[in-house]
Amino acid sequence: MEKNVGGIDRTTRIVVGAFLTVAGVAGLAGYWAVGIAIGVAALLVGVILVVTGTTQKCPINEAAGVDTTR
């Protein structure tokens, strides 16, 4: 799979993903009273965003034909 995530898209994915990951962990640990389901959802979405941002590869972008590296 070719790189298809770059520029502002990459930076946004990493920053928002890191925030959601921390928020999800805080929710699961009980430091943020949002419930287990929202904590798990935030954690999963955050991890996915961080991974796609750091690897610069997104299967959804590829399926949609979107390339933000150019």
Side-chain angles (χ1 to χ4, degrees), residues 6-52:
I8 294 173
D9 184 21
R10 179 178 186 216
T11 303
T12 303
R13 285 173 188 257
I14 293 170
V15 170
V16 172
F19 174 78
L20 286 174
T21 301
V22 170
V25 170
L28 291 175
Y31 294 112
W32 186 35
V34 294
I36 299 291
I38 293 179
V40 169
L43 181 62
L44 288 175
V45 171
V47 168
I48 289 169
L49 287 175
V50 169
V51 168
T52 59

Side-chain angles (χ1 to χ4, degrees), residues 4 15 17 19 24 27 32 42 44 46 54 58 65-66 70:
N4 60 12
V15 170
F19 174 78
W32 186 35
L44 288 175
T54 55
C58 178
V66 175
R70 301 179 195 148

